[in-house]
Amino acid sequence: MKKIFLLIILFSLFYNSLISQTFEKVPKQYSLDLGYNYILTSDMANIASSGYGFMFDYAWKLSGFGEKKAVYLSVPISYTYFTEPGSSLTNSQLNYGWTVRHELAKNKKSIPFVGYALLLNTYKNNVLEGGIMGHQTKFEFGYNFMSDKNIKPFAKIEYSYQSYPSLGTNEKGHIQMVSVRFGVRFK
């Protein structure tokens, strides 16, 4: 019994030592942004043309540990509120999903990045009761502005294509939208 107990202790010490030598803690990054959204085209009824929104993003660094450029995988959640000037029409969207963001430079004052996101949306308006689920594909281009502080500002432009089952009909609805967003990244 003592030999088995000693063997278990030796194995766990070896295993813990091996694991701590093999795996590194992955750097994480948090982002918060605010922005203006404008709908380019929509074949859905009762939709406002522009709105404002915010996004929180939790990212893990996948690459860029050395001389390579950084790549992040993130889980964003965002909310957008649309209004039509001079009208009581309002819409809202809650978005969540996955984003991959590639930084295009390393160790510069401003680092350009591109991103691609696959999101699920919940769309609601004040005309009809309830909401619908949809899919959103989003492309983004922007700049991270590096600073010596832990808080790093960024700016980006997004284009997204959204697809929804139409409310009350059998036809699908589509939305194309552009956004201008400003935010901060912190660790």
Side-chain angles (χ1 to χ4, degrees):
M1 186 65 147
K2 288 182 183 180
K3 289 181 182 179
I4 292 175
F5 182 70
L6 184 59
L7 186 61
I8 290 171
I9 290 175
L10 287 174
F11 177 75
S12 55
L13 289 174
F14 172 75
Y15 183 76
N16 286 337
S17 171
L18 179 67
I19 293 297
S20 67
Q21 296 296 322
T22 305
F23 296 104
E24 294 181 33
K25 187 176 179 182
V26 176
K28 296 176 186 76
Q29 189 178 71
Y30 307 94
S31 302
L32 180 64
D33 74 33
L34 303 167
Y36 174 76
N37 303 306
Y38 180 75
I39 294 179
L40 295 171
T41 63
S42 173
D43 54 6
M44 294 177 65
N46 302 315
I47 189 162
S49 61
S50 62
Y52 297 92
F54 67 90
M55 185 228 18
F56 176 75
D57 187 279
Y58 185 85
W60 295 270
K61 190 173 185 179
L62 297 179
S63 179
F65 301 101
E67 298 302 316
K68 293 183 177 184
K69 299 167 192 153
V71 176
Y72 290 90
L73 173 66
S74 71
V75 179
I77 185 165
S78 66
Y79 179 79
T80 304
Y81 183 78
F82 296 95
T83 61
E84 189 67 45
S87 170
S88 63
L89 180 63
T90 62
N91 312 102
S92 65
Q93 289 179 338
L94 176 67
N95 310 340
Y96 50 92
W98 297 98
T99 300
V100 176
R101 186 176 72 245
H102 296 266
E103 292 185 350
L104 302 177
K106 190 170 180 97
N107 301 325
K108 306 251 184 208
K109 286 272 185 195
S110 62
I111 296 177
F113 65 88
V114 294
Y116 173 75
L118 293 174
L119 305 167
L120 294 176
N121 295 351
T122 301
Y123 169 84
K124 294 183 178 187
N125 68 33
N126 66 338
V127 176
L128 298 172
E129 193 173 317
I132 54 174
M133 294 290 295
H135 173 266
Q136 179 177 359
T137 302
K138 181 173 68 174
F139 300 95
E140 63 186 19
F141 174 76
Y143 278 89
N144 293 320
F145 302 103
M146 298 315 207
S147 67
D148 296 333
K149 301 176 184 176
N150 287 335
I151 296 177
K152 299 178 183 346
F154 69 92
K156 65 181 177 178
I157 296 173
E158 299 175 341
Y159 165 80
S160 69
Y161 179 81
Q162 303 168 34
S163 178
Y164 296 95
S166 289
L167 290 169
T169 68
N170 291 331
E171 302 208 11
K172 287 188 173 185
H174 301 92
I175 300 171
Q176 293 186 57
M177 183 170 61
V178 291
S179 305
V180 177
R181 302 179 84 82
F182 301 94
V184 292
R185 300 194 198 284
F186 47 96
K187 296 180 181 185

